[in-house]
């Protein structure tokens, strides 16, 4: 093979390598764009339904922001979508209201919102407005005032909240998770806020407290954080408090 032939062959190989590298780079960029669009983009119009309806307490779990949707309900029933829809329509007819709008499902729970203009929606909005300040004075003093969820907010099992980043619904249980807490601290916090210790993981300094209702658990969270902010923690390290949220891939209690 002459020097000229070797040069031509080498040039062809270099061009092939460059073309392959360009294709790989283009595929990588395209894949990154798809991933970004799917996972990093803000909630779209369809996912904004619950975000726009959110009007209750706000909290974070693992850095993710959530807000309670007081008008939403978590209806426990059949796992079959058609059966759930039929049950929802029947319930709406009996109540004399417009049918509720289904906005998601979590396990055997169907998440619904009252149809716009229904008496349920109007009543819930009025209840939310009139009760927005309930518990604020008690929280400031570190005490727990008797509270209950708004009549239209949820079943007795769960409140409904929305992930403010994605628009996805979650169920809020009647449990609180405490981090950085000793056994004695967990018992003291539970006693002072109307709850009870449900479980302890002493090696990880974690505890799970249980309350009579999800609304009581959220009120207790506010009071615990208020006590620590006002210096009532006795100089001890701050306890991190998170509500227990149940997402679509988990099974409700």
């Amino acid at each position: 093979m002459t020097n000229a032939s070797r040069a031509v062959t080498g040039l062809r190989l270099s061009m092939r390598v460059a073309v392959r590298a360009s294709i790989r780079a283009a595929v990588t960029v395209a894949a990154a764009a798809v991933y970004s669009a799917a996972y990093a983009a803000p909630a779209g119009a369809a996912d904004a339904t619950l975000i726009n309806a959110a009007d209750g307490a706000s909290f974070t779990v693992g850095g993710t922001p959530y807000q309670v949707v007081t008008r939403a309900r978590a209806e426990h029933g059949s796992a079959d979508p058609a059966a759930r829809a039929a049950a929802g329509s029947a319930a709406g007819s009996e109540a004399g209201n417009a049918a509720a709008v289904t906005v998601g499902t979590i396990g055997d729970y169907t998440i619904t919102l009252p149809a716009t203009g229904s008496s349920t929606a109007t009543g819930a909005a009025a209840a939310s407005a009139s009760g927005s300040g309930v518990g604020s004075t008690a929280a400031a003093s570190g005490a727990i005032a008797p509270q209950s969820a708004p009549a239209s907010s949820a079943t007795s099992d769960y409140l409904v909240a929305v992930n403010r980043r994605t628009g996805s619904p979650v169920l809020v249980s009647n449990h609180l998770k405490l981090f950085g807490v000793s056994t004695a601290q967990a018992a003291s916090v539970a006693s002072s806020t109307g709850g009870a210790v449900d479980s302890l993981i002493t090696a990880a300094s974690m505890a799970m407290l249980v309350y009579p209702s999800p609304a009581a658990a959220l009120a207790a969270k506010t009071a615990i954080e208020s006590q620590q902010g006002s210096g009532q923690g006795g100089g001890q390290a701050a306890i991190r408090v998170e509500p227990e949220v149940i997402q679509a891939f988990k099974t409700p209690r």
Side-chain angles (χ1 to χ4, degrees), residues 172-230:
V172 183
S173 81
N174 62 335
H175 287 72
L176 288 182
K177 297 178 183 179
L178 304 186
F179 300 87
V181 65
S182 67
T183 301
Q185 284 177 307
S188 176
V189 169
S191 176
S192 66
T193 57
V197 177
D198 186 46
S199 61
L200 289 165
I201 306 178
T202 53
S205 300
M206 293 174 55
M208 181 80 83
L209 306 188
V210 60
Y211 291 86
S213 68
L218 290 180
K221 173 184 179 294
T222 300
I224 294 168
E225 293 173 338
S226 178
Q227 289 172 359
Q228 294 188 121
S230 63

Side-chain angles (χ1 to χ4, degrees), residues 10 13-14 31-32 58 70-71 86 91 127 130 137 147 149 153 159-160 164-165 173 181 213 216 220 245 249:
L13 289 174
S14 298
S58 297
T70 61
R71 294 190 295 122
S130 63
T137 303
Q147 293 192 16
S153 63
L159 288 173
V160 177
R164 292 203 62 89
R165 290 179 180 168
S173 81
V181 65
S213 68
V245 297
F249 56 85

Side-chain angles (χ1 to χ4, degrees), residues 15-25:
M15 291 177 65
R16 289 174 183 171
V17 170
V19 169
R20 289 172 181 170
S22 298
I23 292 174
R24 283 197 296 269

Side-chain angles (χ1 to χ4, degrees), residues 9-79:
T9 300
L11 179 60
R12 288 175 177 171
L13 289 174
S14 298
M15 291 177 65
R16 289 174 183 171
V17 170
V19 169
R20 289 172 181 170
S22 298
I23 292 174
R24 283 197 296 269
V27 170
T28 300
V29 170
V34 170
Y35 179 89
S36 176
Y39 297 99
D47 296 327
T49 303
L50 281 173
I51 292 178
N52 293 335
D55 57 354
S58 297
F59 57 89
T60 60
V61 174
T64 300
Y66 295 92
Q67 187 173 7
V68 172
V69 185
T70 61
R71 294 190 295 122
R73 293 183 62 86
E75 301 288 354
H76 188 215
S78 171

Side-chain angles (χ1 to χ4, degrees), residues 75-157:
E75 301 288 354
H76 188 215
S78 171
D80 177 61
R84 284 199 300 254
S89 297
S93 298
E94 291 176 3
N97 296 324
V101 178
T102 298
V103 293
T105 59
I106 298 177
D108 288 342
Y109 287 82
T110 301
I111 312 302
T112 63
L113 279 172
T116 304
S118 69
S119 61
T120 301
T122 304
S128 176
S130 63
S132 60
V134 174
S136 59
T137 303
S141 64
I144 296 292
Q147 293 192 16
S148 59
S152 61
S153 63
T155 65
S156 59
D157 296 328

